[in-house]
Amino acid sequence: MNTKGYRLLLYLGILICPFLMSGQDVRQEILKMERARALRMEELFRSRGLQGEEAGFDVTFYRVSLNIDPGTKSIAGDVTMRAHSTVSDLQEVTLDLYNNMVVDSITSEGSLLAYSHADNKLNIDLSRKHDTGEAFAVRIYYSGQPVNEGGFHSFTFEEHEGVPIISTLSEPFGSPTWWPCNDDPADKADSVDLIITVPSSLVVASNGVLISEITHGDGTKTFFWKERYPISSYLVSLAITNYETFSDYYHYSESDSMEVVYFVYPEDLNAAKEDFTVIVPMIEYYSSLFGQYPFIEEKYGMAEFPWGGAMEHQTCTSYGSRLIQGNHYYDWIIAHELAHQWFGNLITMKGWSHIWLNEGFASYAEALWEETLHGRGAYLNYMDRMDSGLFPTSVFVYDSTDIYSLFNRTVYDKGAWVLHMLRRVMGDSAFFQAMKTYVEEYPFENATTEDFCRICESYYADDLDWFFHQWIYERFRPTYEYSWYETTSEGNHIVSLRLVQTSTGSTLFKMPLDIVLTMASGETTFVVWDSLKTQEFQFVLDEAVTHLEIDPEGWVLKELQYAAGLPASPGMAEAFSLSQNYPNPFNSSTRIPYELTREGAVTLEIIDLAGSAVTRLLVQEGLPGHHVVSWDGRNGNGEPVASGIYICRLRVDTGGGGKTQKMRKMALIR
């Protein structure tokens, strides 16, 4: 609609005085000091030890040579590490290796080295002192039965259809359970060789390119994989079983292509061939958006393994066997893990406290894939489903030794929302240029939130610390209490809107809000910047307003509550709200709360991520008030549905227009 004749008349900040501003400044300074303290603590305790530059050396190469015996669930072999000193007179190095792994000997330059092994640390005395920049190498011979610690999966021996399946998932601290390394994400090795010997009936999938495959006369076979791009220790992986393999190709020019190779259980081959058809189109899309696929000289791979989720191992994602169904149900997980090849693998967070740079970016990439498939409305609905609750912790993880703080919904979902909101603040052009430049400026390096902020500021052409401070380092979200009314003066219609921030925390959020006013002739939109405890805005129009909506597309992570205080006006309050189900995740049943502010026709249903109906829980005329409905995890035929993510969708028709549905994501775990 043409907005000529409509204008924002007045923008008022209310109840702000020097005393309050001074108190706010003091609080900001305290929080900045807390941020600095947390970063210092992370540097000191990263991965539970002195590592990286503090360790006095920088790793350039690992050679991991292992014999793996599924029968005894043990490994034996050696790891060679090459590095250079970052200090003068370096004579001792410390690597990470769990105590249960038995070190037989350590050599360097043809000599045996003295060492001690305690507290999951391997302290090695070098044969001589090394000056700054001088290269050295150590070779560690060891054996043992890896333990499943330091993360979610680490190193496991399991079976499928009676066949061994050996696999690793080292994120975040699991690498030292099976190989000695400097387990610091910021100390990337320039390259890694993995030379793995297994029973000849098995196939080894790993990082990089397969250099050779040698069959021996003793019933074993050796696979030599070489990763030639820089890689963090937690991204080094193995997946081993009787894989069936098949390939596709990503054609990145008229004459060049990269193999996309899949390793799957024989019993899942047909389903995988269907599910994985989306991967090459995804590579094409993300390459157009973020820059060329980072490991173009090697491959992208998917290796099936026995875990409930997936892990973005560099060039070879490990993908849970339960996710392969042949119906594209988990395409969003495929998109997430592929996006990690840019955000997590090409650019790795400098410290675990900044893990949102991996997980939030990959989660947001899911929504971008949805947008390119189904349009802007589908994208906005996807982001709405990622609003999974209060988000009581900060996106920045202050205690990076707590695994479950690193991998919670705040990091993933609110992290994605940070990018969604940043896109609104910066505008599409500047935002996507910044994303691409971020990839270009930190290839195969490590980054922090501040690094990303700096690049965004260069395209926004203004300071963005206020944005990252409130959304990354603070907690919660803004809650806006609002009310509005309309008056007339000299033929003009004046709409007055009052916003009061009543957030759970003490933060006052600064954000642009779309104010959509509906009239008989159509809609018009104003953008206001809200940043104070109480603000009042006035809009002048030349016809009567029948409805007012605040941020109806959902570009700001917020709660809206109608509050009495100004005279009433039609369409003032949201007609309904849908709260998060509880418990969530759930097993046998869950309760779904919703609220009606006025009468309306209510439909409450469960759909899957593809938008297909699962069951309808409620169809009736609803009265104002609080209501709770239960779902027992069954479909419309009374049959139990499979574990997975489902959507609760509430539709309300009050006859007054406005937003007609709300959705919440819920997790069912059998």
Side-chain angles (χ1 to χ4, degrees):
M1 177 183 176
N2 191 323
T3 59
K4 184 178 180 180
Y6 304 137
R7 61 192 184 277
L8 175 63
L9 177 66
L10 189 60
Y11 170 56
L12 298 175
I14 304 174
L15 300 178
I16 297 297
C17 65
F19 172 79
L20 288 178
M21 290 298 291
S22 175
Q24 183 75 359
D25 289 343
V26 169
R27 191 188 64 79
Q28 297 285 355
E29 289 303 314
I30 291 173
L31 193 56
K32 285 181 180 178
M33 289 189 288
E34 182 65 17
R35 280 167 55 181
R37 184 196 66 79
L39 289 167
R40 288 196 301 272
M41 292 297 289
E42 181 179 79
E43 289 299 319
L44 182 61
F45 295 113
R46 186 186 301 149
S47 300
R48 307 175 314 284
L50 294 175
Q51 299 173 342
E53 292 186 2
E54 292 185 2
F57 63 94
D58 178 41
V59 175
T60 58
F61 170 76
Y62 291 109
R63 179 185 182 273
V64 181
S65 178
L66 295 176
N67 287 273
I68 299 179
D69 185 349
T72 60
K73 298 184 178 180
S74 63
I75 65 175
D78 62 89
V79 170
T80 297
M81 180 192 76
R82 296 176 191 160
H84 63 259
S85 174
T86 59
V87 296
S88 60
D89 297 331
L90 178 71
Q91 195 163 8
E92 180 183 82
V93 297
T94 299
L95 299 181
D96 299 284
L97 183 66
Y98 269 60
N99 293 342
N100 65 298
M101 304 305 287
V102 178
V103 176
D104 300 313
S105 61
I106 302 177
T107 64
S108 178
E109 299 179 341
S111 301
L112 286 171
L113 301 182
Y115 64 89
S116 62
H117 190 193
D119 299 325
N120 299 329
K121 296 291 180 182
L122 183 60
N123 300 296
I124 305 170
D125 294 325
L126 300 177
S127 57
R128 59 181 179 83
K129 294 180 179 180
H130 292 75
D131 292 332
T132 302
E134 186 177 358
F136 65 93
V138 295
R139 189 171 186 178
I140 301 140
Y141 297 85
Y142 71 108
S143 61
Q145 294 179 311
V147 293
N148 189 8
E149 295 182 15
F152 301 103
H153 192 77
S154 295
F155 193 110
T156 61
F157 292 88
E158 300 182 50
E159 289 187 352
H160 72 96
E161 301 287 319
V163 179
I165 165 68
I166 303 104
S167 61
T168 66
L169 194 168
S170 297
E171 188 180 34
F173 310 126
S175 296
T177 65
W178 62 281
W179 66 290
C181 58
N182 188 23
D183 194 29
D184 179 351
D187 190 9
K188 291 189 174 186
D190 295 333
S191 62
V192 174
D193 289 351
L194 293 115
I195 303 167
I196 310 300
T197 301
V198 296
S200 57
S201 60
L202 305 182
V203 174
V204 177
S206 189
N207 313 97
V209 174
L210 183 61
I211 302 299
S212 65
E213 181 180 329
I214 301 172
T215 301
H216 308 291
D218 60 357
T220 64
K221 185 183 291 187
T222 298
F223 293 78
F224 178 9
W225 287 93
K226 186 174 187 65
E227 173 57 79
R228 293 171 290 184
Y229 291 96
I231 183 172
S232 292
S233 55
Y234 78 93
L235 293 170
V236 175
S237 73
L238 299 173
I240 305 164
T241 191
N242 63 332
Y243 285 124
E244 291 279 357
T245 63
F246 65 100
S247 296
D248 202 345
Y249 288 88
Y250 163 50
H251 298 276
Y252 54 92
S253 74
E254 292 183 0
S255 58
D256 294 305
S257 62
M258 178 193 72
E259 185 178 21
V260 182
V261 59
Y262 308 113
F263 303 83
V264 299
Y265 302 166
E267 62 268 25
D268 293 330
L269 179 61
N270 290 333
K273 285 184 174 180
E274 175 59 38
D275 279 348
F276 295 167
T277 57
V278 300
I279 292 177
V280 169
M282 284 180 180
I283 296 174
E284 293 170 347
Y285 172 64
Y286 288 145
S287 293
S288 70
L289 203 60
F290 307 133
Q292 186 59 272
Y293 173 74
F295 310 101
I296 198 70
E297 297 298 326
E298 295 185 342
K299 71 172 188 306
Y300 183 60
M302 297 274 281
E304 185 175 0
F305 80 144
W307 198 57
M311 173 62 200
E312 67 275 9
H313 294 126
Q314 190 160 305
T315 75
C316 192
T317 286
S318 295
Y319 194 67
S321 57
R322 282 178 281 178
L323 305 178
I324 299 176
Q325 298 187 359
N327 58 9
H328 294 281
Y329 192 84
Y330 291 107
D331 283 1
W332 62 277
I333 294 180
I334 293 175
H336 181 104
E337 304 308 329
L338 174 61
H340 271 308
Q341 300 301 314
W342 285 264
F343 305 109
N345 299 1
L346 174 66
I347 308 174
T348 308
M349 76 274 138
K350 194 169 185 178
W352 288 107
S353 287
H354 296 276
I355 185 64
W356 86 277
L357 294 173
N358 292 17
E359 299 301 347
F361 278 58
S363 296
Y364 186 62
E366 300 169 27
L368 294 177
W369 176 247
E370 182 76 4
E371 182 176 19
T372 197
L373 287 182
H374 303 296
R376 186 64 160 258
Y379 161 79
L380 294 171
N381 285 336
Y382 200 96
M383 291 308 306
D384 185 56
R385 296 198 298 269
M386 256 198 271
D387 181 0
S388 57
L390 185 60
F391 299 125
T393 59
S394 61
V395 173
F396 180 85
V397 181
Y398 285 94
D399 181 6
S400 63
T401 64
D402 181 350
I403 291 173
Y404 294 98
S405 292
L406 293 173
F407 302 98
N408 63 29
R409 298 318 325 167
T410 299
V411 169
Y412 285 69
D413 293 349
K414 188 176 180 181
W417 264 88
V418 168
L419 295 172
H420 174 62
M421 292 185 289
L422 184 62
R423 177 179 176 178
R424 172 65 181 85
V425 169
M426 295 180 65
D428 275 20
S429 178
F431 172 76
F432 285 110
Q433 287 176 0
M435 292 281 279
K436 205 163 193 175
T437 300
Y438 176 54
V439 169
E440 292 170 351
E441 286 203 14
Y442 290 92
F444 309 109
E445 296 182 14
N446 299 82
T448 66
T449 301
E450 286 66 34
D451 294 324
F452 179 59
C453 175
R454 176 185 58 80
I455 289 172
C456 291
E457 287 176 337
S458 69
Y459 287 96
Y460 185 60
D462 204 348
D463 172 65
L464 281 171
D465 183 68
W466 60 269
F467 176 88
F468 286 92
H469 175 85
Q470 66 191 13
W471 290 116
I472 299 296
Y473 294 101
E474 294 275 14
R475 301 183 298 156
F476 304 114
R477 68 176 79 193
T479 295
Y480 299 106
E481 288 187 354
Y482 73 99
S483 53
W484 68 277
Y485 72 102
E486 180 181 337
T487 59
T488 58
S489 175
E490 299 180 352
N492 290 321
H493 295 262
I494 303 172
V495 172
S496 297
L497 168 67
R498 177 175 292 171
L499 294 175
V500 180
Q501 287 199 38
T502 59
S503 307
T504 302
S506 57
T507 305
L508 289 174
F509 289 83
K510 172 185 175 181
M511 287 299 290
L513 294 169
D514 294 331
I515 310 300
V516 180
L517 304 176
T518 302
M519 298 147 290
S521 62
E523 294 180 346
T524 190
T525 300
F526 294 95
V527 179
V528 301
W529 282 80
D530 183 83
S531 61
L532 306 179
K533 177 68 176 176
T534 301
Q535 289 183 251
E536 187 170 309
F537 306 90
Q538 291 184 343
F539 314 96
V540 178
L541 304 100
D542 47 22
E543 59 180 308
V545 172
T546 59
H547 190 67
L548 180 149
E549 289 184 282
I550 300 172
D551 186 30
E553 289 191 322
W555 286 99
V556 178
L557 189 64
K558 66 189 180 305
E559 296 291 339
L560 281 175
Q561 297 176 0
Y562 169 67
L566 295 180
S569 184
M572 184 179 298
E574 276 200 313
F576 63 99
S577 62
L578 175 65
S579 299
Q580 188 66 45
N581 65 300
Y582 62 92
N584 187 43
F586 69 98
N587 176 263
S588 58
S589 67
T590 189
R591 293 167 65 81
I592 304 166
Y594 69 93
E595 189 101 13
L596 300 180
T597 61
R598 51 188 183 269
E599 293 184 15
V602 176
T603 302
L604 185 65
E605 56 193 340
I606 307 298
I607 60 176
D608 61 24
L609 290 177
S612 300
V614 175
T615 187
R616 183 165 287 180
L617 302 178
L618 193 66
V619 180
Q620 66 178 37
E621 287 296 318
L623 297 176
H626 182 72
H627 307 271
V628 179
V629 176
S630 295
W631 181 43
D632 60 3
R634 297 177 181 272
N635 63 22
N637 297 322
E639 303 163 335
V641 299
S643 296
I645 304 298
Y646 294 89
I647 306 299
C648 173
R649 179 166 63 188
L650 176 65
R651 301 175 185 269
V652 177
D653 182 5
T654 62
K659 188 173 182 180
T660 59
Q661 71 175 25
K662 292 181 183 292
M663 292 182 283
R664 291 281 185 178
K665 185 186 298 183
M666 56 178 64
L668 171 60
I669 300 176
R670 295 292 186 189

